[in-house]
Amino acid sequence: SIGAAHSGPMRGLGVLPAIDASADAGPPPCAVTCGDDGTVRLWDMATAEAIGAEALPRGTQPCALAACRANGLIALGSEAGVLRLFRRLPSGALSLVLRKRFALSPVAALAFDADGTYLAVAHADGAIAFVCTFKQIRTLGVVAPSAGSARPTALAWAGGSA
């Protein structure tokens, strides 16, 4: 089962649509999970069967996950403050498209906007980074916390990005 597959706690859950709903050969809709065992796992939504797994570098402790239904990207944050951005390929495998550390503190939260153009990455120290995920993936900037400001525990986008 999905809950028992990771050795240790599951730290994140997201859902991705089928890559090409009109093609029978494309990957099905899937759930995406990450856990303390240092893996990202893909699950068939219809059967709850495992359909793929990606082992993260040794010692990587994932602590946040966001999946973007609009563009099929998976954002994974670690306790070491590293963002890893994966693209789900038509084969169903994951391809690492970005690895970046915006702050030394753990990633506290991740959120894609509704159309998948932007990703916000909040760190436990209060820093929030913005990444453009449309066409060419690039960092837009990092907002540093002011003294005494609250630390983010969740992120959400309001409205569209247009």
Side-chain angles (χ1 to χ4, degrees), residues 6-82:
H6 291 282
S7 58
M10 186 169 55
R11 297 293 178 179
L13 170 69
V15 176
L16 291 175
I19 287 183
D20 183 357
S22 66
D24 292 335
C30 69
V32 183
T33 61
C34 67
D36 277 359
D37 59 359
T39 63
V40 179
R41 297 177 185 268
L42 303 174
W43 306 90
D44 184 299
M45 292 292 289
T47 65
E49 296 292 323
I51 57 174
E54 180 80 24
L56 299 169
R58 185 179 173 99
T60 300
Q61 288 278 175
C63 58
L65 182 141
C68 183
R69 295 181 56 83
N71 61 20
L73 292 174
I74 300 163
L76 181 76
S78 75
E79 290 287 337
V82 176

Side-chain angles (χ1 to χ4, degrees), residues 18 25 27 32 45 52 82 103 120 128-129 136 139-140 144 162:
V32 183
M45 292 292 289
V82 176
I128 301 176
Q136 181 183 358
T139 302
L140 299 174

Side-chain angles (χ1 to χ4, degrees), residues 75-115:
L76 181 76
S78 75
E79 290 287 337
V82 176
L83 167 71
R84 286 179 173 83
L85 196 58
F86 296 94
R87 182 175 307 282
R88 184 178 179 211
L89 302 175
S91 68
L94 297 179
S95 173
L96 182 67
V97 295
L98 178 72
R99 182 191 179 281
K100 185 96 175 179
R101 179 178 287 154
F102 300 106
L104 296 177
S105 67
V107 174
L110 298 161
F112 286 98
D113 72 328
D115 63 8

